[in-house]
Amino acid sequence: MPLALIAFLGLLLALIPAGIVQVQLEREARDTRTRDLEAQAMQLASLVGRQVASTLEGARHTLRTMAAHEDVRRLEASAACDLFLQRVVAVAPRYATANVFDREGNALCASNPAVLSTNIADRPYFQRTLNSGRMELGKFATGRASGQASLHMSQPLLGAGGEVAGVLVLAISVGWLNDELQGLLLPEGGVAVIADRTGIVVARSAARERFVGRPLGAQGMTMLHAGAPGVMEATSLDGMVRTVAYLPVEMEPEGLFVAVGLDTASAIAAQEEANVQAAVMVVGSLLLTFVVGLVFFNAAVDRPVQRMLRVASHWARQDWSARVGHIRGGREFQRLAAALDTMADAVLTREAARRRALTRMEAVVGVAPQIVMTADRAGHVDWTNPYWQELTGFDTARSLGLGWMEATHPDDRPGLRAAWDAMVASGLGDGAQGFSHEVRICRADDKQWRWHLMKGAAIRHDPSEIAAWAMVGIDFHELRVIQAQAEDTAAQLRATYENAPVGLCLLDRDLRFIAINDMLAAIHGVPVADHIGRTLSEVAPDMPPVIEEAMRRVVATGEAVEELEVMCEVDGQPRFWLASYRPIFGADGSITCVTGSKVDITARKRVEESERLLSREVDHRAQNALAVVRGLIRLSAADAPDDVPALVEVLEGRIAAMSRAHTLLSREKWVGAELGEIVREEFAPQSGRILTQGPPVRLTAEAAQPLTLVLHELVTNALKYGALSVPEGKVTLRWERQQDKLHMQWCEEGGPPMVEPPLRRGFGTRLIDANIRGLLAGDIERDWAETGLRCTLVLGPEALTGSRFVTGLRETSPLAGRRVIVAVENAAEARSLAELLRASGCAVLGPAASIEEAVELIEAEKRVDAAVLSGTLQGRSAQPLAQLLRRRASALLFLNTLGLDSESDEAPPRMLRPPHTAEGIRRALVEALEASRNGS
């Protein structure tokens, strides 16, 4: 039988298994495509599930954060609570509304004012939250006030006893969920769906206007209530048959159903078309072989062909050492054999070179401490080097496609994705652009975010076509940190120079300004720019010449001039400064520059002057006290000339009364005293037998001692002759203000019966009358009733601090009439504090914006009871002002200690803690005044 016929029959026989194989291959390819389609659908469903779970977790975190806010926890309707909820919704577009409801479902505060009139007690998620005390996720709903479709999440707000006192509700915008789902990259014909636990479609990646808000079909409800995630072929709501991967409602994300469907017909059709093309190619190849065999088998070609085929089989196994050599069959076969051998030599050479290069590249990429990865033409990563896997902990499978971006910081991811997409898109046009982006990548071993510079470029197998992309990443975290620290340090130095509370400058050897800060420029009264390149005498000719002489001495001697005190008139007022100048030496030891500073000590000078005036005032008051004591001794001796023990006892009592008044006035800085304090001090030994009642009244310093002596004489007479001379006797003292005068009622009861008024007026009686009608500018009336003495004492306006009667709440306030100076750097805060102090009944001095203004207010007032200060005023330390007020005021409160001397020997400053409320300020001032009164 001819060889050609045998070949023909063999070909026919070969077609049978080839057909069987082709059918089997088509079946396996179809099964493989179906499995791939199911895996792809499940991968996309898992991705959507993770995104939804992340959204729900973010909402839970937001609810916890909102629940911890003070305005929310109060469970009271307030503008502050509404404003806070509005800010939450403003910074997070994914949320439609944020609201707080009480247990009855009534809105307390809301981000949308329209919600305040609604009630949600009938909402199932609201009732579940009340019953369970846990966060709950509602179903698809349309807001009653906002009209927006949304998913509601609720958080219980617990009361003091742990019960649910209210509910915090956060509405996730369904529109935002649909926008997020629509951005998901799905194959053509694919669709993603999110439904609530009742089967209502919440979001759909396509045709959402038709299907959002509609229930799932029967197959969808089956998947929704399944016990585990799965994949099935189902008919979608739009009638298309798809391979659907689903996550049941009870799986993560719990409370929502997630499904992704891929077009089954399109995927199978593409595979079937590929199978048909493969079958056609196979059949065509067999037919072509048969035709060629018919042509050449008539010649003696079988042996050389078989030889070449044997060699070719070696080459197919990458054995390029096999050669055809010399063969028979004619010159053409010999030339073909030679050409094949030459080709094999060239391939062997190139293959050896390729293997060497590949070995070197693999070694370099394997040990290089940098990221290397490649991507296909569409920008999907298909390979990463070991360093990437070691750095991030992402294996190759997790890094494929765009999965590698999950290792980057969430804040950097949008910019990285945009830059990467721009590079890939540029490859589709006329010319590809490079890729360079700085991004933070999480290091797996210590979870630290480290900065990397990522660079990408095209891989070209042909100059006109991009075959793939390559990207490398270099860790430059330390460099970036150092650069940031250097920038921060430079900014801090610049800010320190510009905002220092002292004048600073830098001058060259010719004493011309090189640099100057705003403070010193303001002292000179000339802008900063006008100083540069000019001398002090050119810029500020009114400055004392001693300053330039000191600077020249620094240049000439190289020695610093420290704390040179200078004075100059500014706006007609004298101002004082301490100036210091120091040389700056170059590398060769010569003076290159002079640095200068100028500190304003005008306030300190004024404080020193005030202290001198205060010292003279104290001397004056001491001399007055000695004169009063001498008068008491002289008049008391005249009243009891022969009874020395009685004289000693009387003098000790009267001088002790003066001493108590003196101590009280000293505690109050000699600016007045509280009547209640005087009464308590004087009646202390008889506190159980003398009843007192009356509103807060403040006396002048001049009236305190005379009234103390009057009360002492009344108590002494009651102890000797009146109600207090017997155990059952009692005394009542009441007082009240009537217009600008103070009326005091002294009533004795239970003492020895009064038969008739005393016939003799002793020194005590004359002392009472003289003080009441003289120093106290008032009058006294006595009623010698049988039950005991009754006195009406009237004190004139001159004895009282202020002539206006305080009514209402301020009448009973312990701060009524207190003079408080406010000196706070922040103007808005100062005005707020002043209003709160006035609401507490205080007389507010200021607010003062500077140390000088505060000193002027203090010097203009006779009395300052307390002060509220910040640590700095106009960028300068308030320490001198505090020192002055410690001598003039009873209590000091500080908002902060910035600028104060922490190493001072003085007592630690008493702080006024935020938040600043009327009650908080009242309590702090009362405690400070009480501590001052007790000497603590």
Side-chain angles (χ1 to χ4, degrees):
M1 184 180 294
L3 184 59
L5 182 58
I6 295 174
F8 176 73
L9 294 175
L11 178 61
L12 291 178
L13 292 174
L15 286 176
I16 295 175
I20 296 173
V21 170
Q22 183 66 29
V23 171
Q24 184 64 27
L25 289 176
E26 288 181 4
R27 182 179 300 162
E28 292 179 358
R30 183 183 181 90
D31 293 341
T32 300
R33 178 56 184 164
T34 300
R35 289 194 297 271
D36 292 343
L37 191 64
E38 291 176 350
Q40 184 181 11
M42 181 54 72
Q43 184 180 15
L44 291 171
S46 299
L47 174 61
V48 174
R50 288 194 298 273
Q51 291 178 344
V52 173
S54 176
T55 299
L56 295 182
E57 184 57 30
R60 293 187 186 99
H61 179 72
T62 301
L63 281 169
R64 295 188 192 101
T65 304
M66 293 164 60
H69 195 276
E70 181 179 356
D71 293 322
V72 173
R73 293 188 65 83
R74 288 196 185 103
L75 286 174
E76 297 176 357
S78 67
C81 180
D82 293 341
L83 181 60
F84 169 69
L85 297 179
Q86 291 167 8
R87 287 202 298 266
V88 170
V89 174
V91 301
R94 67 181 64 182
Y95 303 131
T97 60
N99 313 303
V100 179
F101 298 89
D102 62 17
R103 285 187 59 87
E104 286 70 35
N106 298 313
L108 296 177
C109 45
S111 61
N112 183 351
V115 178
L116 295 174
S117 61
T118 62
N119 185 286
I120 64 167
D122 60 336
R123 295 288 198 188
Y125 69 85
F126 180 82
Q127 293 299 327
R128 290 201 305 272
T129 302
L130 290 180
N131 295 330
S132 67
R134 297 180 295 122
M135 284 190 183
E136 295 289 344
L137 176 65
K139 62 183 182 179
F140 176 89
T142 301
R144 292 173 176 169
S146 66
Q148 297 187 40
S150 56
L151 284 173
H152 295 86
M153 287 196 73
S154 56
Q155 158 83 28
L157 294 174
L158 303 182
E163 77 284 358
V164 178
V167 176
L168 181 61
V169 178
L170 189 64
I172 303 174
S173 171
V174 166
W176 179 87
L177 279 175
N178 279 275
D179 292 341
E180 288 293 299
L181 205 57
Q182 192 171 4
L184 183 67
L185 297 178
L186 295 174
E188 183 176 357
V191 65
V193 175
I194 302 173
D196 66 13
R197 63 174 68 250
T198 64
I200 300 301
V201 176
V202 175
R204 199 173 191 270
S205 62
R208 62 182 180 183
E209 295 80 8
R210 291 176 54 196
F211 300 109
V212 170
R214 288 180 52 187
L216 297 171
Q219 290 179 310
M221 295 302 293
T222 299
M223 290 184 281
L224 182 140
H225 294 295
V231 181
M232 64 181 292
E233 189 170 276
T235 302
S236 300
L237 292 176
D238 56 5
M240 182 177 291
V241 177
R242 292 184 172 89
T243 298
V244 180
Y246 58 90
L247 304 177
V249 71
E250 297 302 327
M251 304 296 292
E252 185 73 16
E254 187 175 357
L256 291 178
F257 169 76
V258 175
V260 173
L262 301 180
D263 186 358
T264 306
S266 298
I268 301 302
Q271 183 62 42
E272 290 177 350
E273 182 179 355
N275 292 338
V276 170
Q277 292 176 355
V280 170
M281 292 179 64
V282 169
V283 173
S285 299
L286 290 173
L287 292 175
L288 179 61
T289 303
F290 175 72
V291 172
V292 172
L294 290 178
V295 174
F296 288 98
F297 262 72
N298 290 325
V301 297
D302 184 56
R303 184 176 296 175
V305 169
Q306 290 298 327
R307 183 172 179 176
M308 286 187 289
L309 288 176
R310 287 195 298 272
V311 173
S313 67
H314 286 277
W315 295 344
R317 296 193 299 269
Q318 301 298 314
D319 180 12
W320 296 102
S321 63
R323 297 292 184 269
V324 178
H326 180 73
I327 61 173
R328 298 177 182 179
R331 183 172 57 186
E332 288 76 10
F333 275 106
Q334 293 174 357
R335 290 173 62 187
L336 177 60
L340 291 174
D341 289 346
T342 301
M343 180 193 68
D345 292 338
V347 170
L348 183 61
T349 302
R350 287 197 298 271
E351 180 66 15
R354 187 187 69 81
R355 288 182 178 277
R356 289 194 298 271
L358 182 60
T359 301
R360 288 194 296 269
M361 179 58 68
E362 289 177 347
V364 171
V365 171
V367 301
Q370 62 184 26
I371 299 168
V372 181
M373 59 179 65
T374 61
D376 60 20
R377 190 171 185 273
H380 297 135
V381 169
D382 51 20
W383 177 85
T384 61
N385 71 332
Y387 178 78
W388 164 264
Q389 300 172 22
E390 178 184 353
L391 172 68
T392 63
F394 280 36
D395 56 19
T396 302
R398 189 177 178 185
S399 303
L400 294 180
L402 297 177
W404 63 277
M405 290 190 181
E406 294 297 324
T408 62
H409 196 284
D411 294 344
D412 302 336
R413 212 170 291 160
L416 174 65
R417 177 65 184 272
W420 181 260
D421 290 346
M423 179 189 73
V424 174
S426 70
L428 304 178
D430 296 335
Q433 66 183 26
F435 166 81
S436 180
H437 198 78
E438 295 179 0
V439 65
R440 285 166 288 182
I441 296 177
C442 183
R443 190 164 62 186
D445 58 357
D446 60 0
K447 303 302 180 184
Q448 179 186 5
W449 292 102
R450 297 187 63 81
W451 283 101
H452 286 73
L453 176 62
M454 310 296 290
K455 283 185 169 292
I459 300 175
R460 300 177 186 271
H461 295 163
D462 184 280
S464 62
E465 183 179 0
I466 295 176
W469 301 93
M471 182 171 64
V472 297
I474 301 173
D475 187 332
F476 75 118
H477 186 80
E478 281 73 17
L479 176 60
R480 184 178 178 114
V481 170
I482 291 172
Q483 289 175 342
Q485 290 174 347
E487 292 174 359
D488 291 343
T489 301
Q492 292 169 1
L493 290 174
R494 184 166 55 254
T496 301
Y497 190 81
E498 293 174 353
N499 300 309
V502 298
L504 300 174
C505 66
L506 187 66
L507 305 99
D508 60 19
R509 285 183 56 86
D510 297 328
L511 303 184
R512 297 185 180 277
F513 286 100
I514 300 173
I516 185 172
N517 68 347
D518 292 336
M519 177 68 73
L520 187 54
I523 292 174
H524 295 163
V526 179
V528 171
D530 293 344
H531 282 75
I532 307 304
R534 302 172 66 188
T535 64
L536 178 63
S537 59
E538 295 172 344
V539 174
D542 294 336
M543 282 291 163
V546 68
I547 296 178
E548 280 202 339
E549 293 174 2
M551 290 189 291
R552 292 192 190 94
R553 188 162 66 252
V554 171
V555 174
T557 63
E559 297 179 356
V561 174
E562 301 286 352
E563 297 186 352
L564 175 65
E565 185 173 320
V566 295
M567 187 276 287
C568 182
E569 286 194 359
V570 177
D571 297 330
Q573 297 292 326
R575 298 197 69 84
F576 300 86
W577 292 278
L578 281 181
S580 299
Y581 299 96
R582 300 174 184 85
I584 297 178
F585 298 95
D588 58 355
S590 62
I591 296 175
T592 59
C593 302
V594 175
T595 179
S597 63
K598 192 176 289 184
V599 181
D600 192 332
I601 59 170
T602 305
R604 192 182 79 186
K605 287 288 188 180
R606 291 185 178 181
V607 169
E608 293 172 353
E609 179 63 23
S610 297
E611 289 177 345
R612 284 193 292 271
L613 294 175
L614 180 61
S615 177
R616 288 198 295 270
E617 177 68 15
V618 171
D619 290 343
H620 174 69
R621 292 189 182 275
Q623 291 172 6
N624 288 343
L626 290 175
V628 172
V629 170
R630 285 195 299 270
L632 286 175
I633 294 173
R634 185 176 62 256
L635 295 175
S636 298
D639 199 40
D642 301 323
D643 191 350
V644 175
L647 174 62
V648 171
E649 181 181 358
V650 168
L651 283 176
E652 283 181 346
R654 289 168 179 166
I655 293 175
M658 286 186 59
S659 175
R660 288 191 291 271
H662 186 281
T663 301
L664 183 60
L665 287 171
S666 176
R667 215 160 47 211
E668 297 286 341
K669 313 302 181 186
W670 291 92
V671 291
E674 286 287 342
L675 174 58
E677 286 292 313
I678 294 174
V679 170
R680 279 193 294 272
E681 291 282 345
E682 193 59 39
F683 294 172
Q686 309 296 329
S687 58
R689 303 180 64 189
I690 302 179
L691 304 178
T692 62
Q693 182 181 1
V697 176
R698 193 155 183 86
L699 304 177
T700 63
E702 291 77 7
Q705 280 189 339
L707 182 60
T708 300
L709 288 173
V710 169
L711 296 176
H712 172 74
E713 293 301 326
L714 287 172
V715 172
T716 301
N717 289 335
L719 286 169
K720 289 183 177 180
Y721 315 111
L724 300 182
S725 64
V726 294
E728 62 272 14
K730 294 189 302 182
V731 175
T732 302
L733 176 64
R734 294 184 177 90
W735 66 86
E736 63 178 351
R737 293 187 67 158
Q738 296 182 7
Q739 296 181 351
D740 289 345
K741 295 182 179 181
L742 180 67
H743 288 248
M744 304 179 68
Q745 299 291 332
W746 172 276
C747 297
E748 298 185 20
E749 295 177 348
M754 299 292 296
V755 179
E756 60 180 349
L759 299 177
R760 176 177 171 274
R761 295 177 73 251
F763 173 67
T765 302
R766 295 196 302 274
L767 181 62
I768 292 174
D769 293 348
N771 279 302
I772 288 291
R773 295 190 174 97
L775 296 175
L776 298 176
D779 199 1
I780 181 172
E781 294 181 0
R782 295 179 178 86
D783 179 11
W784 301 96
E786 184 179 354
T787 57
L789 173 64
R790 298 178 182 272
C791 288
T792 299
L793 292 79
V794 180
L795 275 63
E798 295 84 349
L800 309 178
T801 57
S803 60
R804 297 182 62 186
F805 183 55
V806 182
T807 61
L809 291 176
R810 297 187 184 183
E811 180 179 358
T812 59
S813 170
L815 300 180
R818 292 285 192 175
R819 293 182 176 269
V820 182
I821 184 169
V822 176
V824 176
E825 190 160 40
N826 185 292
E829 190 173 20
R831 289 193 297 270
S832 175
L833 288 169
E835 290 302 319
L836 292 174
L837 288 167
R838 292 189 182 99
S840 298
C842 298
V844 178
L845 308 179
S850 65
I851 295 177
E852 290 76 16
E853 184 178 351
V855 172
E856 291 175 0
L857 287 173
I858 295 169
E859 292 176 347
E861 293 293 328
K862 291 183 178 179
R863 174 172 62 89
V864 177
D865 297 311
V868 179
L869 309 176
S870 59
T872 59
L873 289 172
Q874 293 184 339
R876 296 157 54 198
S877 171
Q879 189 85 28
L881 178 61
Q883 292 172 348
L884 172 62
L885 285 167
R886 283 192 174 95
R887 294 167 175 80
R888 297 289 296 273
S890 300
L892 269 69
L893 292 177
F894 289 89
L895 299 185
N896 56 67
T897 58
L898 182 65
L900 300 181
D901 185 3
S902 60
E903 298 181 358
S904 172
D905 294 334
E906 298 169 344
R910 185 180 290 269
M911 303 302 297
L912 181 60
R913 305 294 182 186
H916 299 147
T917 62
E919 176 60 24
I921 292 177
R922 187 197 68 78
R923 187 186 305 110
L925 266 181
V926 169
E927 290 176 355
L929 290 168
E930 185 66 26
S932 174
R933 187 176 297 114
N934 296 332
S936 60

